[in-house]
């Protein structure tokens, strides 16, 4: 199937800087030049609702967060409804993202630092975009953030893991999906592999 044609990405105060969101937008569009990445910077209820209720966009990306996003309970409810309605919410990055996912979706993910390489989980990747990844993904830098595989919620499947730690997973959330890629995309090492991981998560 063709890659998604439109994506919303958060680019507000909880993200490191505009350079990083620009870089991630560029990585998303690598080999997918028709894809439009629309940025939004405010997390007030009206903006979040306008983003989530846009019928033409079925994927929302949260880049690596440097601080916890100030988001209301109303916006969290809207985010859950967006995923449940059949859309895909993708989190990149780090343990702030893990905490945010726990708070919004009621998960109980726990972090686990394991060095790569990470291996494709062949049982779980079948019939997903992750099946086309290499069987082994090198650790790009120290900037990888894994989660204990056994802390995944019901419906959660690890796509890339090592020694009980998952670096990329997808959780079925009603009719939609919540994905995580534990890499913060700020280094060029092995970047092509990690760009493919990012594309797989977005394409779920």
């Amino acid at each position: 199937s063709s890659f998604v044609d439109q994506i919303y990405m958060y680019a507000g105060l909880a993200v490191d800087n505009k350079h990083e969101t620009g870089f991630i937008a560029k990585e998303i569009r690598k080999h997918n030049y028709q894809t439009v990445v629309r940025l939004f910077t405010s997390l007030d209820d009206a903006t979040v609702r306008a983003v989530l209720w846009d019928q033409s966009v079925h994927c929302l990306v949260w880049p690596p967060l440097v601080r916890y996003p100030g988001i209301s309970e109303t916006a969290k409810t809207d985010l859950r409804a967006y995923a449940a309605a059949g859309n895909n919410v993708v989190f990149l990055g780090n343990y702030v993202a893990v905490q945010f996912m726990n708070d919004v979706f009621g998960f109980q993910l726990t972090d686990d630092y394991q060095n790569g390489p990470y291996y494709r989980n062949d049982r779980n990747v079948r019939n997903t975009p992750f099946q086309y990844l290499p069987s082994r993904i090198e650790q790009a830098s120290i900037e990888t953030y894994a989660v204990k595989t056994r802390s995944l919620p019901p419906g959660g499947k690890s796509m890339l893991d090592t020694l009980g730690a998952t670096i990329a997973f997808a959780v079925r959330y009603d009719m939609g999906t919540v994905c995580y890629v534990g890499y913060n995309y700020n280094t060029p090492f092995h970047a092509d592999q990690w760009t493919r991981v990012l594309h797989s998560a977005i394409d779920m």
Side-chain angles (χ1 to χ4, degrees):
S1 70
S2 62
F3 196 67
V4 292
D5 57 353
Q6 295 191 72
I7 290 165
Y8 270 111
M9 184 162 70
Y10 172 66
L13 290 174
V15 179
D16 193 11
N17 55 37
K18 298 300 169 271
H19 158 76
E20 183 158 42
T21 47
F23 176 70
I24 292 171
K26 201 176 91 217
E27 293 302 291
I28 289 172
R29 297 185 66 238
K30 194 177 271 183
H31 315 304
N32 303 305
Y33 297 109
Q34 82 293 352
T35 298
V36 177
V37 180
R38 300 193 196 174
L39 303 179
F40 67 102
T41 55
S42 169
L43 290 176
D44 67 54
D45 290 354
T47 305
V48 172
R49 185 158 284 184
V51 165
L52 299 179
W53 290 17
D54 183 332
Q55 294 297 309
S56 61
V57 184
H58 301 289
C59 182
L60 170 63
V61 175
W62 295 88
L65 301 165
V66 290
R67 61 182 71 84
Y68 194 87
I71 187 170
S72 73
E73 291 305 316
T74 303
K76 288 178 186 175
T77 301
D78 284 350
L79 204 45
R80 288 191 291 273
Y82 176 79
N87 298 302
N88 183 15
V89 184
V90 178
F91 293 86
L92 306 180
N94 53 34
Y95 298 135
V96 183
V98 172
Q99 180 63 51
F100 188 41
M101 292 169 79
N102 284 345
D103 289 349
V104 172
F105 294 101
F107 299 160
Q108 294 180 315
L109 305 167
T110 52
D111 24 301
D112 187 12
Y113 188 77
Q114 292 287 353
N115 281 322
Y118 304 98
Y119 297 92
R120 190 182 62 207
N121 187 316
D122 286 336
R123 193 180 66 227
N124 292 343
V125 298
R126 242 180 317 200
N127 302 323
T128 77
F130 288 92
Q131 69 186 347
Y132 304 110
L133 291 176
S135 60
R136 161 189 172 134
I137 302 282
E138 299 304 324
Q139 173 143 352
S141 68
I142 54 166
E143 306 292 346
T144 47
Y145 302 87
V147 164
K148 282 191 173 67
T149 306
R150 66 169 186 268
S151 74
L152 293 183
K157 288 185 170 179
S158 171
M159 301 295 170
L160 291 169
D161 47 56
T162 188
L163 303 172
T166 174
I167 201 75
F169 60 82
V171 179
R172 199 89 195 120
Y173 194 79
D174 203 350
M175 290 166 63
T177 320
V178 178
C179 295
Y180 174 77
V181 177
Y183 175 52
N184 78 0
Y185 291 89
N186 67 356
T187 162
F189 296 120
H190 303 298
D192 280 352
Q193 287 192 332
W194 288 94
T195 298
R196 291 182 62 189
V197 177
L198 172 59
H199 288 172
S200 300
I202 286 172
D203 226 11
M204 279 296 287

